[in-house]
Amino acid sequence: QKQNEEEEEEDDKDDLDFEPSSPSRLSPLTLPGEAQQGYEEGKSFAMGRLDRLVCTVSGAQGTQLQYFFYNPYLLLLAQPDHKSPGSGCVRILAPLRCVEAALDSNQPQLLRLAIRVPKGEVAPSYAHLYRPTAEAEAYPFLPSSIDDLRGCSWYTLTLNFDDGARSRLADGHLRAKREEIRTTLRTKAMSFVERYCT
């Protein structure tokens, strides 16, 4: 009888496909592609033939050349690593589902990005903390009041491409992939509820 009970417990674990001591594996709001690509902010990687666009980003250290990569899960910006030809140093790394984007209506070569960072998580080093009182006009798609931030912070940066065609390509990629991700997450959440909460 004890052996039968142990076998039933093992079957239950297989059905659930998660370890009781690891609740993160149970969460429907996780996507393996966001964490299993080996990128890390400040670290270099071999760019190889990864599809990318060239742009510049202005900041405290001046205007810097950056590569915008066509990644299906991540906003990935990297700066050329001059110490290692063919490599790039990651400057911005964030899940696409946490990224909002908008083309500048007056300067079509500019793509404004905003990254949502939940309270307690590490902020991107090469983006600026969004301040509603000073930047609401430049980022009309973000909360216009500090009271509306709701437990998170937004970090912003602007990508400057050679022309409007390239900025539209980057914007189109972000929008399409973000919608795919959010659709996947909605489906996973619904399946989770149907399986464990009904």
Side-chain angles (χ1 to χ4, degrees):
Q1 183 178 358
K2 183 177 180 180
Q3 182 177 357
N4 290 336
E5 290 176 353
E6 291 177 350
E7 291 176 353
E8 290 176 0
E9 289 178 0
E10 290 298 323
D11 290 340
D12 289 341
K13 289 181 180 179
D14 291 339
D15 290 340
L16 293 174
D17 192 29
F18 79 100
E19 295 292 338
S21 60
S22 303
S24 62
R25 291 184 59 189
L26 181 62
S27 173
L29 301 180
T30 57
L31 291 173
E34 293 179 347
Q36 296 181 1
Q37 299 190 39
Y39 301 116
E40 184 178 348
E41 189 173 300
K43 302 293 184 180
S44 293
F45 68 98
M47 296 185 294
R49 296 185 178 182
L50 292 175
D51 289 338
R52 54 191 181 266
L53 293 170
V54 176
C55 64
T56 58
V57 177
S58 298
Q61 299 178 350
T63 300
Q64 298 182 338
L65 178 70
Q66 302 280 341
Y67 292 119
F68 171 94
F69 288 88
Y70 285 97
N71 190 288
Y73 294 101
L74 301 168
L75 171 62
L76 176 61
L77 294 175
Q79 186 176 350
D81 186 347
H82 300 295
K83 296 181 180 179
S84 179
S87 296
C89 184
V90 177
R91 293 307 186 198
I92 294 290
L93 184 66
L96 281 183
R97 58 187 166 125
C98 296
V99 177
E100 298 291 342
L103 293 168
D104 190 299
S105 58
N106 297 317
Q107 302 180 75
Q109 77 276 14
L110 300 183
L111 179 60
R112 298 189 183 278
L113 303 181
I115 304 168
R116 180 175 58 83
V117 180
K119 186 177 180 179
E121 294 193 9
V122 179
S125 301
Y126 290 84
H128 309 286
L129 178 64
Y130 169 68
R131 302 182 185 281
T133 54
E135 300 177 278
E137 185 175 348
Y139 294 89
F141 53 91
L142 292 182
S144 58
S145 169
I146 294 179
D147 296 333
D148 296 330
L149 293 179
R150 298 179 182 177
C152 70
S153 297
W154 288 89
Y155 287 79
T156 63
L157 68 157
T158 299
L159 308 185
N160 190 342
F161 293 88
D162 287 340
D163 51 48
R166 288 177 172 81
S167 65
R168 288 192 295 272
L169 286 174
D171 181 53
H173 167 78
L174 292 174
R175 292 178 183 275
K177 294 304 178 182
R178 189 174 61 239
E179 183 58 32
E180 289 179 14
I181 290 169
R182 290 176 176 175
T183 299
T184 298
L185 289 173
R186 283 194 295 268
T187 302
K188 291 183 65 176
M190 292 175 62
S191 297
F192 177 89
V193 171
E194 291 175 357
R195 186 172 185 183
Y196 299 110
C197 303
T198 57

